[in-house]
């Protein structure tokens, strides 16, 4: 089968993380979930793509929360031999003056009976390497800045070399965020022109590289763009490219991986219209397109809703645009499908936490990375007001998400949520679910009644959890940022918090409370017919558009077939 992949594949998609399936812990969050949905849609659409990522056999982290809400981290291993096949080829990359050998594993995604997509997982845990180098691909996003650079060398440079060694002839390289941008330098080195007769510096055919590279930037958060000081680069990436030559593409103040990707790609995009606008302001002089993210509908639709869709909108999995007809669904059948998903979530919450929720009271869900700009504590700005609100309109809250091991502020937010949960326990059930992962996300985005998202604008690049919720008829209550600016029809597909201009935390908290008090909770408790109408509008107007099939058709036609 590898020979068939090699023969037909013309596009390589590089990502530091990818969510292949829940049992394979090669993802940390939204970036990896998106890469996994991209893989699944490539299979559905029979696109000739190979995916390249790190093996990450010890996963990202297993989150452990104590009684006070303090997060600690443990390894989260998986068993590569159960899911993937080691291949015979090996390549070496020079890191810190040493040869580091890289072996590929082959994972095959079978999306249907007729087409499969290969994923190459890169592994340095080999006898040929010393202990430090064996650990490079062990933990996703582990270690210090030097370790991160080593991981990105293996991904970008090692990944390109392994594709060549295996026999792939790639015409287009897609970099999913800046982690993979060193692949462009590897391509650039193959297009080096010799020094002229006067001893001048070599030149490079950068345009040849740009014709072959696509770069997707994912974050308007400055800390999300990897930067490495050149003294570190010179020690770790020894002799690969002169610093002066590198600085011409990656910036003079250090190796900026985003700038490198921008400079050496012929097609660049942000992941939502607003995000592309912000990125153009961050990086003036570059043409940055907008391809808004989407989700894989078959993966993220719960069983009860999928059965309803199949009865009423046949072939919805392969043509998600047909879900525009969801506004014709029967109210009673739609509500029954949702209640089945909610019952499954309530059963899982009881198993995970010992807490019993009511199927009759609405569940507000908030699940994403725990970090400051996501503002997971915005709902708890005024606990007394929450108490008064719950006295009139009962509701329940589920919260989940991991903080990065080095994000102390994010960890403090988890502790604060636990304190709020304890203080409100007599009137508002608030449950924090540890170790948020893909399997938990599928239950949460289907079983909640309201999906809450409160980022600080304009720091949300896109967001996809709300798309998954909408697909299952769960209504979004969200700050207008990222994808929601494009999807929100206030009072129809969900509700907006604030407006598209930048607001303060106090403004957004007031808007959130006003929406809950005046529109969201009274509607749930008092007008089930209107609520079901909004569920149908959400599915028909959002799921039919914000899906990864639409996203990949745009990449194929606009980025890959330039």
């Amino acid at each position: 089968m590898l020979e068939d992949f090699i023969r037909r594949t013309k596009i390589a998609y590089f990502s530091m993380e990818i969510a292949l399936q829940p049992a394979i812990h090669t993802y940390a969050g939204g970036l990896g979930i998106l890469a996994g949905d991209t893989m699944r849609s490539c299979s559905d659409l029979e696109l000739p793509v190979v995916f390249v990522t790190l093996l990450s056999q010890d996963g990202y982290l297993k989150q452990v929360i104590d009684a006070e809400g303090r997060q600690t981290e443990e390894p989260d291993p998986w068993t590569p031999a159960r899911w993937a096949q080691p291949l015979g080829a090996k390549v070496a990359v020079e890191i810190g003056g040493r040869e580091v050998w890289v072996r590929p594993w082959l994972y095959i995604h079978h999306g249907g009976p007729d087409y499969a997509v290969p994923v190459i997982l890169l592994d340095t845990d080999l006898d040929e390497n010393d202990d430090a180098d064996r650990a490079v691909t062990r933990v996703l996003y582990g270690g210090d800045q030097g370790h991160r650079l080593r991981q990105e060398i293996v991904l970008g440079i090692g990944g390109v070399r392994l594709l060549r060694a295996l026999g792939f002839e790639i015409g287009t390289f897609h970099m999913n965020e800046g982690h993979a941008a060193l692949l462009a330098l590897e391509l650039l080195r193959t297009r080096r022109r010799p020094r002229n007769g006067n001893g001048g510096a070599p030149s490079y055919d950068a345009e040849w590289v740009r014709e072959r590279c696509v770069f997707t930037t994912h974050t308007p958060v400055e800390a999300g763009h990897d930067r490495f000081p050149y003294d570190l680069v010179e020690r770790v990436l020894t002799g690969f490219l002169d610093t002066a030559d590198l600085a011409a593409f990656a910036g003079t103040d250090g190796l900026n991986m985003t700038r490198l990707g921008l400079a050496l790609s012929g097609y660049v995009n942000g992941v939502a219209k607003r995000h592309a606008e912000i990125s153009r302001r961050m990086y003036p002089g570059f043409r940055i397109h907008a391809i808004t993210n989407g989700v894989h509908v078959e993966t993220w639709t719960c069983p009860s809703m999928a059965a309803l869709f199949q009865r009423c909108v046949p072939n919805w999995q392969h043509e998600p645009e047909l879900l525009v007809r969801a506004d014709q669904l029967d109210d009673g059948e739609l509500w029954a499908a949702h209640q089945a998903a909610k019952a499954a979530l309530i059963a899982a919450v009881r198993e995970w936490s010992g807490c019993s929720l009511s199927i009759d009271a609405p569940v507000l869900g908030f699940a994403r990375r725990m970090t400051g700009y996501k503002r997971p504590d915005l709902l708890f700005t005024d606990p007394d007001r929450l108490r008064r609100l719950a006295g009139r309109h009962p509701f329940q809250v589920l919260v989940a998400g991991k903080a990065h091991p080095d994000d102390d502020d994010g960890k403090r937010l988890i502790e604060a949520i636990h304190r709020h949960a304890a203080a409100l326990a007599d009137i508002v059930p608030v449950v924090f679910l540890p170790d948020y992962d893909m399997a938990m996300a599928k239950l949460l985005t289907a079983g909640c009644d309201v999906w809450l998202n409160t980022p600080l604008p304009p720091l949300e690049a896109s967001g996809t959890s709300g798309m998954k919720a909408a697909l299952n008829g769960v209504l979004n209550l969200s700050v207008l940022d990222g994808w929601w600016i494009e999807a929100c029809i206030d009072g129809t597909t969900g509700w907006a918090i604030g407006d598209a201009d930048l607001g303060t935390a106090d403004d957004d908290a007031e808007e959130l409370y006003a929406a809950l008090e005046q529109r969201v909770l009274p509607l749930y408790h008092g007008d089930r017919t209107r609520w079901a109408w909004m569920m149908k509008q959400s599915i028909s107007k959002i799921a039919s558009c914000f899906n990864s099939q639409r996203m990949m058709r745009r990449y194929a036609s606009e980025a890959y077939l330039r």
Side-chain angles (χ1 to χ4, degrees):
M1 184 170 248
L2 179 61
E3 291 74 19
D4 291 338
F5 292 141
I6 292 169
R7 174 181 48 79
R8 76 180 189 213
T9 301
K10 303 302 178 187
I11 302 160
Y13 184 100
F14 281 64
S15 182
M16 189 83 138
E17 54 175 292
I18 183 169
L20 301 171
Q21 53 179 288
I24 299 177
H25 305 154
T26 50
Y27 67 97
L31 186 72
I33 295 291
L34 178 76
D37 281 359
T38 300
M39 173 195 70
R40 288 178 270 276
S41 282
C42 284
S43 179
D44 294 341
L45 299 172
E46 299 189 3
L47 296 177
V49 183
V50 58
F51 288 74
V52 181
T53 190
L54 301 183
L55 187 69
S56 303
Q57 62 263 47
D58 279 346
Y60 172 53
L61 65 87
K62 184 173 182 62
Q63 183 189 50
V64 179
I65 303 291
D66 70 12
E68 283 71 44
R70 292 187 292 259
Q71 173 183 302
T72 54
E73 303 86 33
E74 296 178 356
D76 194 19
W78 63 287
T79 307
R82 181 182 172 190
W83 303 98
Q85 171 190 353
L87 300 178
K90 294 179 186 178
V91 298
V93 293
E94 187 173 334
I95 301 178
R98 298 188 305 275
E99 278 193 338
V100 177
W101 287 91
V102 185
R103 172 180 62 175
W105 293 68
L106 175 65
Y107 172 88
I108 301 174
H109 172 73
H110 295 276
D114 301 322
Y115 203 82
V117 169
V119 180
I120 301 297
L121 300 115
L122 306 176
D123 180 17
T124 63
D125 193 5
L126 305 173
D127 291 341
E128 296 93 326
N129 296 328
D130 69 18
D131 289 345
D133 296 329
R134 293 183 71 152
V136 168
T137 60
R138 196 168 289 156
V139 178
L140 180 60
Y141 301 127
D144 59 12
Q145 192 177 40
H147 189 81
R148 173 69 69 86
L149 179 56
R150 289 171 173 84
Q151 289 188 323
E152 297 187 8
I153 291 169
V154 169
L155 176 64
I157 299 172
V160 170
R161 292 180 183 177
L162 263 173
L163 290 178
R164 289 190 193 124
L166 291 168
F168 285 91
E169 295 180 1
I170 301 299
T172 300
F173 294 84
H174 188 163
M175 294 170 271
N176 188 38
E177 192 54 281
H179 309 123
L182 291 176
L183 77 82
L185 289 186
E186 174 68 8
L187 297 177
L188 193 69
R189 286 223 313 169
T190 68
R191 309 300 293 185
R192 177 173 172 157
R193 300 188 182 104
R195 298 174 184 270
N196 61 39
N198 297 322
S203 61
Y204 299 88
D205 189 356
E207 195 55 42
W208 182 90
V209 177
R210 293 186 187 106
E211 290 172 359
R212 287 157 177 77
C213 285
V214 175
F215 179 65
T216 300
T217 178
H218 282 270
T219 176
V221 180
E222 198 64 29
H225 299 276
D226 283 344
R227 285 183 175 84
F228 302 104
Y230 280 124
D231 60 346
L232 173 65
V233 175
E234 289 168 356
R235 292 196 308 272
V236 176
L237 199 56
T238 312
F240 189 78
L241 211 67
D242 289 343
T243 298
D245 296 330
L246 185 54
F249 300 107
T252 58
D253 58 346
L255 172 55
N256 183 319
M257 298 295 278
T258 298
R259 185 169 290 279
L260 180 61
L262 291 167
L264 290 174
S265 296
Y267 186 93
V268 178
N269 72 283
V271 290
K273 292 178 181 178
R274 164 64 74 89
H275 175 234
E277 294 169 5
I278 298 297
S279 297
R280 291 181 203 118
R281 293 202 290 269
M282 291 178 69
Y283 295 99
F286 292 100
R287 186 182 181 193
I288 301 176
H289 305 262
I291 297 182
T292 302
N293 285 341
V295 300
H296 189 252
V297 295
E298 186 173 15
T299 296
W300 295 102
T301 304
C302 68
S304 56
M305 201 65 71
L308 176 60
F309 291 166
Q310 192 60 32
R311 289 197 304 272
C312 302
V313 193
N315 209 40
W316 61 277
Q317 307 98 318
H318 305 294
E319 296 183 72
E321 57 269 26
L322 294 176
L323 289 171
V324 72
R325 302 175 187 170
D327 58 359
Q328 303 301 308
L329 293 173
D330 177 79
D331 286 8
E333 291 185 344
L334 177 64
W335 187 251
H338 171 66
Q339 289 297 86
K342 188 173 182 179
L345 173 62
I346 288 172
V349 169
R350 186 182 304 114
E351 178 183 344
W352 294 330
S353 69
C355 297
S356 296
L357 301 182
S358 168
I359 201 164
D360 297 319
V363 176
L364 278 59
F366 182 102
R368 49 195 35 86
R369 183 161 54 92
M370 290 287 127
T371 194
Y373 82 88
K374 300 282 190 181
R375 299 192 296 184
D377 57 341
L378 189 71
L379 177 64
F380 305 103
T381 301
D382 188 343
D384 290 336
R385 193 166 175 181
L386 285 181
R387 284 180 165 277
R388 294 193 297 271
L389 177 57
R392 296 191 302 273
H393 305 293
F395 64 95
Q396 308 159 102
V397 181
L398 292 177
V399 183
K402 298 176 179 178
H404 186 277
D406 296 331
D407 187 352
D408 292 334
D409 289 339
K411 292 180 180 182
R412 282 190 285 270
L413 285 168
I414 296 173
E415 294 177 38
I417 290 168
H418 278 77
R419 290 193 295 271
H420 289 303
L424 292 166
D426 61 319
I427 191 166
V428 182
V430 178
V431 182
F432 187 95
L433 300 172
D435 208 32
Y436 183 48
D437 64 2
M438 187 179 178
M440 186 185 293
K442 291 177 75 167
L443 286 166
L444 283 168
T445 54
C448 290
D449 297 287
V450 177
W451 197 252
L452 186 62
N453 188 27
T454 54
L456 181 66
L459 301 181
E460 182 87 319
S462 174
T464 58
S465 64
M467 301 175 191
K468 303 175 183 86
L471 172 62
N472 288 285
V474 176
L475 299 180
N476 280 270
L477 172 59
S478 175
V479 167
L480 280 169
D481 200 12
W483 80 285
W484 189 233
I485 294 175
E486 301 167 46
C488 179
I489 305 173
D490 194 46
T492 299
T493 58
W495 301 273
I497 300 171
D499 56 36
D501 296 326
L502 306 188
T504 67
D506 288 342
D507 291 338
D508 288 343
E510 175 58 36
E511 290 273 359
L512 170 58
Y513 286 132
L516 289 171
E517 291 167 345
Q518 300 167 22
R519 298 193 291 166
V520 179
L521 296 178
L523 186 68
Y524 183 91
H525 287 287
D527 191 346
R528 188 60 48 76
T529 299
R530 178 72 181 185
W531 190 276
W533 178 84
M534 287 186 67
M535 291 173 68
K536 291 188 288 186
Q537 299 304 310
S538 179
I539 298 168
S540 67
K541 291 178 169 58
I542 294 177
S544 63
C545 177
F546 293 89
N547 57 75
S548 52
Q549 271 92 332
R550 181 269 314 158
M551 177 187 76
M552 288 314 300
R553 287 190 183 105
R554 285 200 59 194
Y555 276 117
S557 62
E558 298 174 32
Y560 299 162
L561 299 178
R562 288 177 287 133

